[in-house]
Amino acid sequence: MPQREKFGKFGALMTMAGSAVGLGNLWRFPYLLGENGGAVFLFVYLLCSFLIALPIFFAEFIIGRRGGENCFGCFSKLSGGSKWKYAGLIGVLTPAIILSFYSVVGGWGVQYFMRSCTFELAEFNSLISSVWPPIIGHTIFLLLTAVIVMMGVKKGIESFGKIAMPALFVLVVGIAIYVAFQPGAAEGYRYLFNPDFSKLDDNCIISALGQAFFSLSLGCGCIMTFASYVSKKDSAVSHSVNTALLDVLFALIAGCAIMPAVFAYGLSPTAGPSLLFDTLPRIFNQMPAGEIVAVLFFLALLVAALTSSISLLEVVVAYFVEEKKMERKKAVLMISVFAWVLGCLCSLSFGPLSNVKLFSLSIFEFFDKLTSDYLMIIGAFLTVVFAGWIMKRSDFEDEFLHSNDKASKRLLKPILLIIRYVAPIAILMIFVTGLCI
Ligand code: TRP
């Protein structure tokens, strides 16, 4: 068997953060924030990210690095081949489904980027309900993802992440600073940072938690697979904490780039999924030098989405390459075709197939809900139970204490407590509440 590739230290952080930071931060977070009352959502989201999502991230990391294989391989190896190995299948179907609809939204990004270069931004609803433009966008997006993953772990994924993530940071911060100088922006900051707790309800909590999961790429083996490429010398604690910090930071910066602009131009923050695509171009139209800001913004969006979609594809590829002994190229091709077909159906569900309903949801909504509300939650549950109760305690502690940093030692007990009790109970509670709403 060929030696497995390993990330460098900086590359490891950039690829993990790359997986985490994506459409979830730039597109999903601002519109959920707008729909759920602004600052109060941010407050709950921050709590969920650090108290629940981070420990789950950590559990995935430990399993991945200890196992040193694809998701299925990790579960199988660390459980000594028991039935628990089947829990590893969370890293096959869920990410493939997420990839297909993620790529559709990525494809809208492709269209907006191409059109912003020629200064003719589309109207959101007419774009997504048409047949060919969104499918062409989806195809280009998936092709880009496939090419990077085909190039391999170090040459493709790591090299791209190391350039893309710092570039993304500069772009988004630049836009946020630009927006800060627009008259009327102050109202947006108030909306973002001044919580009104009377707006706190079940929906806000569930959405914030779901967003924290989605944004940290939890529950489908992404982090596990990437952690298996991280060197044993690196600290699991600092990697996890840094990734979570970067992820939250990007969500905050995205909020600061979008909300003040929405208020400065007198638009509504509650527009929903169209917020980014519909509202922003209108803002860009009115802004001085808006054409250039638009190009930069959609470029940033695309880069962020790509670093995430490659993580989704890589999890599944790693499974087929290592467990089914498939050639890397062939695996990439096969999964991409699957995601392309399913993605086309999702894309068409905004137009010609809008009447097709699965459990009274459109095809896109169905797969989005199926993964975010069920499969990822089940995946996260299996992950924490496995890390806390099934894998050998000595393996867990060894992975934890192996690194040189002293803070890790003190954190072992509290983190284990969260992984064994708090996280599984919290996940169950969300699951049940989600079913009841
Ligand atoms: N976290 C990414 C984002 O915020 C999306 C993503 C990548 C993801 N890998 C995942 C979501 C795995 C859920 C599961 O855009």
Side-chain angles (χ1 to χ4, degrees):
M1 188 152 176
Q3 182 75 34
R4 245 166 154 258
E5 296 181 273
K6 288 272 185 257
F7 291 143
K9 190 169 179 188
F10 180 66
L13 181 61
M14 288 302 105
T15 42
M16 293 240 178
S19 168
V21 177
L23 295 169
N25 306 59
L26 300 180
W27 166 66
R28 212 165 178 265
F29 174 76
Y31 89 70
L32 286 177
L33 183 103
E35 281 181 341
N36 290 289
V40 63
F41 178 83
L42 175 65
F43 179 78
V44 183
Y45 165 74
L46 288 178
L47 281 184
C48 292
S49 291
F50 289 108
L51 295 183
I52 305 178
L54 176 58
I56 302 175
F57 184 99
F58 190 73
E60 260 200 48
F61 189 104
I62 294 261
I63 298 176
R65 197 170 58 179
R66 190 68 185 181
E69 289 183 23
N70 65 87
C71 184
F72 185 84
C74 284
F75 275 97
S76 157
K77 191 163 156 188
L78 298 178
S79 68
S82 78
K83 285 213 171 55
W84 265 94
K85 70 176 175 218
Y86 295 110
L89 291 175
I90 57 168
V92 186
L93 191 62
T94 319
I97 297 177
I98 300 178
L99 177 63
S100 34
F101 68 79
Y102 199 83
S103 166
V104 172
V105 184
W108 301 342
V110 171
Q111 284 290 347
Y112 269 81
F113 173 65
M114 294 193 313
R115 291 168 190 223
S116 67
C117 293
T118 53
F119 309 124
E120 40 176 337
L121 284 175
E123 202 263 313
F124 182 67
N125 279 323
S126 68
L127 172 78
I128 65 169
S129 60
S130 60
V131 175
W132 291 111
I135 288 194
I136 293 171
H138 161 58
T139 311
I140 296 176
F141 185 83
L142 205 54
L143 267 178
L144 289 172
T145 308
V147 167
I148 299 169
V149 175
M150 224 178 249
M151 283 163 69
V153 171
K154 271 193 94 67
K155 266 222 296 298
I157 300 174
E158 184 179 7
S159 318
F160 185 69
K162 279 204 299 207
I163 303 170
M165 290 309 290
L168 178 66
F169 187 76
V170 173
L171 281 175
V172 186
V173 170
I175 294 171
I177 294 175
Y178 179 91
V179 168
F181 288 102
Q182 301 303 306
E187 190 55 36
Y189 296 117
R190 216 165 296 135
Y191 186 74
L192 258 173
F193 297 116
N194 192 8
D196 169 3
F197 284 101
S198 67
K199 297 219 175 101
L200 188 67
D201 58 14
D202 287 359
N203 218 8
C204 174
I205 298 174
I206 298 276
S207 308
L209 202 95
Q211 173 60 12
F213 273 37
F214 187 86
S215 197
L216 271 177
S217 307
L218 297 179
C220 70
C222 275
I223 300 308
M224 208 175 286
T225 308
F226 273 11
S228 72
Y229 303 130
V230 175
S231 151
K232 291 272 180 207
K233 283 191 294 242
D234 295 351
S235 153
V237 175
S238 70
H239 253 305
S240 309
V241 173
N242 288 341
T243 310
L245 282 175
L246 279 176
D247 187 43
V248 165
L249 183 69
F250 267 97
L252 278 176
I253 305 173
C256 288
I258 293 167
M259 282 306 161
V262 168
F263 281 91
Y265 290 94
L267 299 164
S268 160
T270 55
S274 66
L275 181 71
L276 179 90
F277 291 104
D278 207 12
T279 328
L280 273 186
R282 280 199 249 167
I283 296 167
F284 293 144
N285 272 338
Q286 300 172 38
M287 258 184 194
E291 296 92 347
I292 298 166
V293 185
V295 174
L296 291 178
F297 186 84
F298 288 113
L299 179 67
L301 184 75
L302 210 58
V303 167
L306 275 172
T307 55
S308 300
S309 61
I310 54 183
S311 78
L312 287 162
L313 182 53
E314 174 63 21
V315 198
V316 198
V317 168
Y319 168 78
F320 281 102
V321 169
E322 292 176 359
E323 299 297 321
K324 303 285 167 207
K325 310 288 172 239
M326 205 181 256
E327 227 182 295
R328 190 172 184 86
K329 263 199 196 114
K330 223 168 149 192
V332 170
L333 220 73
M334 185 186 78
I335 303 150
S336 305
V337 169
F338 169 87
W340 186 79
V341 174
L342 194 58
C344 284
L345 293 176
C346 290
S347 176
L348 291 172
S349 74
F350 291 99
L353 298 184
S354 60
N355 289 330
V356 181
K357 299 279 180 216
L358 301 164
F359 301 95
S360 71
L361 297 166
S362 77
I363 305 176
F364 185 101
E365 288 165 344
F366 173 77
F367 285 111
D368 181 9
K369 243 188 144 31
L370 176 71
T371 47
S372 328
D373 293 3
Y374 299 94
L375 297 177
M376 280 173 62
I377 308 261
I378 296 172
F381 183 74
L382 292 173
T383 306
V384 280
V385 171
F386 188 78
W389 299 92
I390 311 292
M391 85 186 256
K392 267 202 243 130
R393 181 64 68 80
S394 56
D395 280 354
F396 187 94
E397 289 184 3
D398 191 39
E399 232 8 81
F400 202 111
L401 302 173
H402 198 67
S403 62
N404 305 326
D405 76 87
K406 296 208 180 68
S408 298
K409 292 203 172 66
R410 263 179 279 133
L411 288 172
L412 177 65
K413 276 229 168 78
I415 291 191
L416 202 58
L417 201 78
I418 297 183
I419 292 182
R420 299 190 79 177
Y421 300 98
V422 183
I425 295 173
I427 298 172
L428 274 183
M429 273 166 46
I430 304 151
F431 194 62
V432 174
T433 324
L435 289 181
C436 298
I437 288 187

